């Protein structure tokens, strides 16, 4: 009886998974540039980012609420098997801390926190960095200590792509969906930066202004600081926003693009779950 019930549940799950497996729906303005971009991202048809089928995982992926809960709740584990949310200051030193981070070789990911000071009003913003392992192509490649790699990020020069990831309202960069995005970036060799809004991530709010869905000053300062550390203008920087953070990066890109002040390193942005229209009526 148990075997029969389990088989029936599995068969139902497989049918549900198959029905939900499909390419993403893509919406964009009908411009020559976007048409060409869609063609590039849809080639080849079976492996293109916008054309390949996305298959949800069984049980969790096939149910939106469970998938959302898992994204918030599942912790991110670093290379040493430590839950990053439980790391002490020894494992997550700030930019003012002289201690090395936990990894002991260039073949491990580097995890540390930097606290940036906003020149406009003195606010403090916590940036949680995740740096991928150093590529080692031969025995002649010089060993770089964790402190050297950390200083490259804090003071430059940065020679790898950087992805700044913003969280949603009432969250911070320790949430599972942010950690998952950061890990996806560093697994591909990019540097990930988890952006904590002012007053979030354990850094106390010290200014009358809190974070909002419209104030882009903190994001602008962080982007300009990171761009200033890059080895040249050809090293790309991307911004990714979730929910309220998605609205912020969209507004920021629009403001800078309209004024012609977008740093040349900013290669693009990704808006995930953007509320789009935010006003007191809703």
């Amino acid at each position: 009886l148990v075997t029969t019930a389990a088989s029936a549940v599995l068969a139902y799950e497989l049918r549900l998974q198959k029905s939900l497996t499909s390419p993403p729906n893509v919406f964009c303005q009908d411009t020559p540039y976007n048409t060409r971009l869609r063609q590039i991202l849809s080639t080849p048809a079976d492996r293109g980012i916008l054309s390949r089928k996305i298959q949800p995982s069984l049980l969790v992926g096939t149910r939106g609420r469970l998938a959302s809960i898992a994204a918030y709740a599942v912790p991110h584990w670093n290379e040493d098997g430590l839950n990053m949310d439980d790391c002490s200051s020894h494992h997550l030193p700030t930019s003012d801390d002289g201690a090395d981070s936990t990894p002991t070789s260039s073949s491990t990911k580097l995890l540390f926190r930097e606290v940036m000071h906003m020149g406009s009003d003195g606010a403090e913003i916590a940036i949680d960095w995740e740096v991928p392992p150093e590529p080692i192509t031969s025995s002649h490649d010089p060993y770089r200590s964790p402190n050297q790699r950390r200083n490259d990020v804090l003071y430059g020069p940065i020679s790898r792509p950087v992805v700044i990831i913003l969280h949603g309202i009432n969250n911070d960069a320790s949430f599972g969906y942010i950690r998952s995005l950061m890990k996806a970036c560093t697994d591909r060799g990019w540097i990930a930066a988890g952006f904590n809004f002012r007053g979030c991530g354990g850094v106390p709010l010290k200014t009358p202004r809190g974070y909002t869905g419209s104030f882009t000053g903190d994001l602008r300062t962080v982007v300009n600081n990171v761009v200033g550390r890059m080895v040249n203008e050809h090293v790309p920087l991307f911004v990714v926003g979730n929910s309220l953070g998605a609205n912020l990066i969209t507004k920021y890109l629009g403001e800078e693009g309209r004024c012609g002040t977008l740093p040349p390193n900013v290669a693009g942005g990704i808006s995930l779950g953007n509320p789009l229209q935010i006003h007191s009526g809703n």
Side-chain angles (χ1 to χ4, degrees):
L1 182 61
V2 173
T3 303
T4 302
S7 299
V9 170
L10 178 60
Y12 173 79
E13 281 296 316
L14 290 173
R15 287 196 301 270
L16 181 59
Q17 181 188 56
K18 184 176 180 180
S19 68
L20 294 174
T21 301
S22 65
N25 293 323
V26 180
F27 304 91
C28 64
Q29 292 179 320
D30 187 15
T31 64
Y33 178 82
N34 283 341
T35 299
R36 177 58 180 155
L37 187 61
R38 287 191 65 171
Q39 290 174 347
I40 294 173
L41 297 178
S42 300
T43 305
D46 60 334
R47 297 196 305 275
I49 294 175
L50 298 183
S51 59
R52 67 188 178 199
K53 292 184 177 181
I54 299 175
Q55 184 181 70
S57 61
L58 293 174
L59 297 176
V60 175
T62 53
R63 289 164 175 79
R65 290 186 179 180
L66 280 179
S68 179
I69 291 172
Y72 276 78
V74 173
H76 172 57
W77 298 86
N78 66 21
E79 298 298 313
D80 297 322
L82 295 171
N83 180 347
M84 190 168 176
D85 297 337
D86 296 335
C87 287
S88 66
S89 59
H90 173 69
H91 298 117
L92 283 174
T94 68
S95 61
D96 298 324
D97 188 352
D100 270 0
S101 191
T102 302
T104 57
S105 76
S106 298
S107 62
T108 58
K109 290 183 179 180
L110 202 59
L111 308 169
F112 61 92
R113 165 168 286 189
E114 173 184 8
V115 177
M116 287 192 186
H117 299 270
M118 304 295 103
S120 59
D121 60 2
E124 295 181 340
I125 303 295
I127 306 297
D128 292 330
W129 291 97
E130 183 168 326
V131 183
E134 287 281 306
I136 300 177
T137 57
S138 73
S139 59
H140 300 290
D141 288 340
Y143 166 77
R144 292 180 55 75
S145 71
N147 202 46
Q148 288 175 313
R149 295 165 58 204
R150 177 171 164 265
N151 286 341
D152 283 348
V153 173
L154 294 177
Y155 310 112
I158 297 174
S159 57
R160 293 193 185 195
V162 174
V163 184
I164 299 176
I165 305 172
L166 281 67
H167 57 78
I169 191 170
N170 294 333
N171 296 171
D172 58 47
S174 71
F175 276 65
Y177 67 98
I178 300 293
R179 295 300 179 196
S180 179
L181 283 171
M182 292 176 67
K183 183 177 185 300
C185 291
T186 53
D187 283 349
R188 289 163 174 78
W190 310 331
I191 298 173
F195 184 111
N196 293 277
F197 298 153
R198 59 172 63 192
C200 299
V203 177
L205 181 64
K206 299 180 179 180
T207 59
R209 179 196 294 274
Y211 74 87
T212 70
S214 61
F215 178 64
T216 55
D218 293 342
L219 175 59
R220 182 172 293 103
T221 299
V222 171
V223 169
N224 289 341
N225 284 348
V226 174
V227 166
R229 304 171 187 175
M230 291 182 157
V231 66
N232 56 48
E233 64 181 23
H234 303 296
V235 179
L237 181 147
F238 297 89
V239 286
V240 179
N242 297 268
S243 191
L244 186 73
N247 196 75
L248 281 174
I249 68 121
T250 303
K251 186 171 184 285
Y252 163 75
L253 293 173
E255 291 169 346
E256 298 296 310
R258 183 176 184 180
C259 297
T261 53
L262 189 68
N265 296 80
V266 179
I270 301 175
S271 170
L272 303 172
N274 195 329
L276 294 177
Q277 297 183 0
I278 302 178
H279 53 76
S280 58
N282 61 12

